[in-house]
Amino acid sequence: MNLGGFKNKEVVVDLTNGTVNYRTINEEDAKKYIGGRGLGVKYVLDNGPEVEPLSAENALCIMTGPVTGSRSSMSGRLCVVTKSPLTGTVTDSHIGGWTAARLKWAGVDNIIFTGKSDKPVYLYIENGQAELRDASNLWGTSTRAFIKAMKDQYGEEDLSVMTIGQAGENTVRFASFINEHDRAAGRGGTAAVAGYKKLKAIVIKAAQKGNMPAAKLESDYKEANKKAVKAILDGGLTAPNKGGLSVYGTNVLTNLINEVGALPTKNSQFTHWDEAEKHSGEFVNTHLRVANNTCHACPVGCKIEVEVKDGKYKTRVESVEFESAWSLGSNCLLSNAEAISYLIDRCNEYGLDTIELGHAFSVTMEAYEKGIISEELIWGDADSMIELTRKIAHREGFGGILAEGPARATALWGSPELSMSVKGQSIPAYDPRGIQGIGLGYATSNRGACHLRGYTVASEIAGIPEPTDRLKPEGKGELLKIFQDMLAFSDSMNICKFSSFSESAEHYAEQYSAMTGIPMTAEGVMKAGERIYNLERYYNNLAGFDKREDDFLPKRFTEEPASGNSAGHVSRMDIMLEEYYQVRGWKDGIATNEKLRELGIIDPEIKQTV
């Protein structure tokens, strides 16, 4: 392989046989799919879209990109790609911190797990060598207990640990990987796949010095990185110690989204809540914040560490993110920021997706209130939520039902309309009635409801790169495609999405070109992103998501009007979806053979897509 940025080494682990092998990366695949998310999806597609998510046959791919662990700002991202046990779609879930950089510094680009171990194991990597080691005596431990055990054994210096907790071990369908600083690969249940395979963790020992990836064109890379850093330092949201992300973290959005009437409240029955301010970034910054932490090569420092110093919610955790604060807060009518902090702490201990957990609570609360179920859970009852979190993580009693995910639970109760989900994954913190484009994004996301596939909120709320009317459905198909394609590229280069608030496709192209030595333009960035997005759609079509109805929103969003400053509005999917399909070149949600051939995803001889 003749590309800069890559170590050109993948670790291939067969957990059934307990073997570890090594292989190089196919250069043509790397050129086509960039790395990270894109290349991982290619591996999962090659493994077969028909596999059961919780099976030995499912592949679990731990992926970096060509700039991971380099001097590029925000290049400390790692993604986990697999077939999701929550949705049945292909999924990729990203994690920050230092694990990704250390994997690259250890001389490894990617890890591919297949099979199923007959006993708990973890993978240890150092100096380019990987070894499966016994984790039997640590099976059943929390994420932090396991991380501490590894630090005691291997020393804290230059060590990163990415592990699952009890939720992953018990194959909770929305279980998350957690790494060394409470950072989560949150969505899609990737840790449940690891738990089924009896894979407890990945442990990496590696120093930065002398191990950073080398740029193919070093002088060009220095200049490209300099321009990108300047864009971030000058950015309105990303400027260190000045921009909203740096000062308040992602929770800077709570008051803003609530004010416009787009904060889903009480399981999306309303879109505004007067009490939301009590768990906002401004409130947390004033009352609970104790530190700002950051990831590898990131000047922004959006991770706000908080501490509750005494009382029954005593904890220190990183951090009260916007999505977590909303899902466990306004979504459940819980305004107590200390209780929310403690719930987030429990999620990190057990390894649970905070977004999906909050929905598990809210559907239970609404179902109980309406007399659909007898299991009592009252709106805003923090202590009962804490206890139910434990039961879900351990699949104990009623918790075992919710461990299947809110979409499956409500279907079991005969009330699927209570689940605010798409393809089985629950929505994040933006109501599609008050922000039209993000609703289309939820419906057409390839991993189930998600704001991170195509963050139209940047334009509709923040005016980045230019403002659009948040309540107007026209033009949102084209807008969404632009965001989806650009973020597919950045996820594959494995650079933080927040860079897109300040960096452009041209910035990405220049860094990628200089690092790899492959000429890339801004137009090439968008074309590569389009290829990756269509590759995912192709996978999902083959996996059975081949109907227009699969790209839907719950009727609550299309039939029940919003409140607050979006009062009277519903999601206009009727207008947006058709426009989106036309812009994409898809037919009723299917990536056509013509489009797949145009992007080089399938050979000309292939006659049928699904």
Side-chain angles (χ1 to χ4, degrees):
M1 189 182 193
N2 195 34
L3 306 183
F6 292 90
K7 297 294 184 177
N8 197 22
K9 188 173 193 175
E10 294 183 326
V11 178
V12 182
V13 182
D14 183 333
L15 291 164
T16 301
N17 298 321
T19 58
V20 176
N21 291 295
Y22 307 93
R23 72 183 188 195
T24 57
I25 299 173
N26 181 289
E27 187 167 327
E28 289 308 307
D29 284 344
K31 288 178 179 178
K32 249 186 188 182
Y33 301 114
I34 310 303
R37 171 179 163 187
L39 195 57
V41 172
K42 176 64 165 60
Y43 291 168
V44 173
L45 175 64
D46 289 347
N47 187 61
E50 72 286 350
V51 301
E52 287 295 320
L54 298 178
S55 71
E57 290 72 33
N58 194 13
L60 181 67
C61 303
I62 311 298
M63 308 293 295
T64 70
V67 300
T68 302
S70 71
R71 297 191 303 277
S72 290
S73 289
M74 301 185 172
S75 61
R77 304 294 290 180
L78 177 148
C79 82
V80 187
V81 189
T82 189
K83 188 175 187 180
S84 168
L86 184 69
T87 65
T89 67
V90 66
T91 195
D92 61 291
S93 191
H94 297 247
I95 195 167
W98 300 84
T99 300
R102 286 212 172 87
L103 183 60
K104 189 69 75 78
W105 299 340
V108 172
D109 294 296
N110 311 310
I111 312 167
I112 295 89
F113 294 98
T114 59
K116 178 184 180 182
S117 178
D118 59 1
K119 67 178 182 180
V121 294
Y122 66 93
L123 188 72
Y124 182 81
I125 301 176
E126 187 175 9
N127 296 324
Q129 298 299 305
E131 179 185 349
L132 284 172
R133 298 185 177 178
D134 190 5
S136 298
N137 65 327
L138 292 168
W139 194 254
T141 58
S142 70
T143 59
R144 295 192 186 114
F146 184 87
I147 291 169
K148 182 181 184 302
M150 294 298 99
K151 288 180 177 180
D152 290 345
Q153 183 169 348
Y154 299 111
E156 292 191 24
E157 188 175 1
D158 301 327
L159 189 76
S160 284
V161 181
M162 177 176 165
T163 185
I164 68 174
Q166 296 96 327
E169 294 177 3
N170 293 315
T171 62
V172 175
R173 289 183 185 269
F174 50 95
S176 305
F177 276 99
I178 304 291
N179 78 359
E180 68 271 15
H181 293 296
D182 283 350
R183 312 292 168 83
R187 309 230 68 191
T190 57
V193 176
Y196 178 87
K197 293 177 179 297
K198 289 289 192 291
L199 174 68
K200 180 67 174 175
I202 299 157
V203 181
I204 306 160
K205 187 83 166 177
Q208 174 182 312
K209 187 175 181 181
N211 292 316
M212 294 182 83
K216 196 75 171 177
L217 306 172
E218 181 60 30
S219 60
D220 289 350
Y221 176 69
K222 286 182 179 178
E223 183 60 28
N225 190 43
K226 181 179 178 181
K227 289 169 65 175
V229 169
K230 185 177 187 304
I232 290 169
L233 297 181
D234 293 343
L237 284 172
T238 57
N241 303 314
K242 292 187 294 183
L245 277 174
S246 186
V247 176
Y248 300 110
T250 60
N251 205 2
V252 67
L253 289 162
T254 294
N255 286 333
L256 176 60
I257 300 302
N258 192 41
E259 177 61 28
V260 302
L263 191 72
T265 300
K266 199 180 182 185
N267 198 31
S268 300
Q269 294 180 59
F270 307 99
T271 60
H272 173 85
W273 191 36
D274 289 340
E275 297 290 303
E277 189 279 331
K278 294 180 180 178
H279 61 68
S280 68
E282 290 84 348
F283 183 93
V284 170
N285 187 61
T286 300
H287 297 282
L288 298 177
R289 169 181 165 176
V290 291
N292 265 54
N293 294 324
T294 192
C295 303
H296 162 74
C298 179
V300 178
C302 72
K303 301 301 180 186
I304 308 299
E305 189 167 345
V306 304
E307 184 175 14
V308 179
K309 295 185 178 180
D310 51 40
K312 62 182 177 180
Y313 303 132
K314 182 178 180 180
T315 188
R316 183 162 179 153
V317 66
E318 181 195 274
S319 59
V320 182
E321 301 280 9
F322 171 50
E323 304 292 340
S324 303
W326 158 76
S327 183
L328 301 167
S330 298
N331 181 49
C332 299
L333 298 188
L334 174 63
S335 61
N336 187 329
E338 293 188 352
I340 291 170
S341 298
Y342 189 80
L343 275 162
I344 293 170
D345 173 85
R346 295 298 86 199
C347 287
N348 292 343
E349 279 278 284
Y350 297 132
L352 283 167
D353 175 14
T354 55
I355 298 176
E356 211 67 45
L357 179 69
H359 279 279
F361 295 150
S362 65
V363 298
T364 302
M365 290 166 176
E366 184 171 355
Y368 174 72
E369 183 179 56
K370 291 181 173 178
I372 295 168
I373 60 173
S374 59
E375 186 71 27
E376 181 177 359
L377 189 63
I378 305 298
W379 295 104
D381 184 350
D383 294 341
S384 294
M385 291 162 70
I386 291 166
E387 173 59 15
L388 188 51
T389 301
R390 184 192 65 79
K391 289 181 177 179
I392 291 170
H394 292 88
R395 283 187 173 270
E396 181 182 310
F398 182 72
I401 295 173
L402 296 179
E404 290 294 292
R408 284 179 173 84
T410 54
L412 179 66
W413 304 335
S415 300
E417 72 280 359
L418 298 185
S419 176
M420 301 301 109
S421 59
V422 177
K423 300 179 181 71
Q425 182 162 281
S426 300
I427 69 156
Y430 309 89
D431 196 283
R433 293 164 289 191
I435 307 174
Q436 292 289 320
I438 203 65
L440 180 64
Y442 293 166
T444 61
S445 163
N446 289 326
R447 70 169 188 172
C450 179
H451 61 300
L452 295 174
R453 302 297 85 177
Y455 194 67
T456 61
V457 175
S459 171
E460 294 174 290
I461 298 296
I464 299 171
E466 58 185 35
T468 53
D469 188 335
R470 65 182 176 86
L471 295 173
K472 185 177 179 180
E474 290 82 7
K476 294 301 166 67
E478 185 172 359
L479 179 71
L480 177 63
K481 179 183 181 296
I482 291 169
F483 275 95
Q484 285 176 338
D485 291 349
M486 184 167 173
L487 294 177
F489 184 91
S490 65
D491 280 347
S492 301
M493 194 162 72
N494 252 4
I495 194 166
C496 180
K497 284 185 176 70
F498 291 161
S499 65
S500 66
F501 289 136
S502 302
E503 295 184 51
S504 65
E506 185 175 354
H507 286 112
Y508 292 157
E510 291 176 351
Q511 291 175 84
Y512 177 82
S513 297
M515 177 60 78
T516 63
I518 303 171
M520 179 67 75
T521 63
E523 293 76 15
V525 164
M526 302 308 291
K527 181 60 69 174
E530 181 182 18
R531 181 180 299 114
I532 292 160
Y533 210 84
N534 275 267
L535 182 74
E536 294 170 340
R537 177 59 58 142
Y538 180 43
Y539 179 102
N540 286 350
N541 290 160
L542 293 171
F545 295 88
D546 55 3
K547 300 179 293 298
R548 189 186 186 95
E549 292 75 24
D550 293 323
D551 295 335
F552 76 101
L553 286 179
K555 288 184 179 180
R556 180 160 286 173
F557 300 128
T558 59
E559 297 181 2
E560 300 177 23
S563 59
N565 285 327
S566 297
H569 288 273
V570 295
S571 174
R572 296 302 307 275
M573 287 295 297
D574 55 331
I575 295 174
M576 295 185 292
L577 188 59
E578 188 56 42
E579 177 193 303
Y580 176 80
Y581 285 162
Q582 290 177 5
V583 173
R584 276 280 177 214
W586 295 350
K587 182 174 176 58
D588 292 332
I590 294 176
T592 64
N593 286 293
E594 181 182 8
K595 175 58 68 174
L596 295 172
R597 291 191 188 103
E598 172 196 320
L599 295 169
I601 293 172
I602 64 172
D603 295 328
E605 295 78 17
I606 294 180
K607 302 297 182 184
Q608 189 173 356
T609 303
V610 294

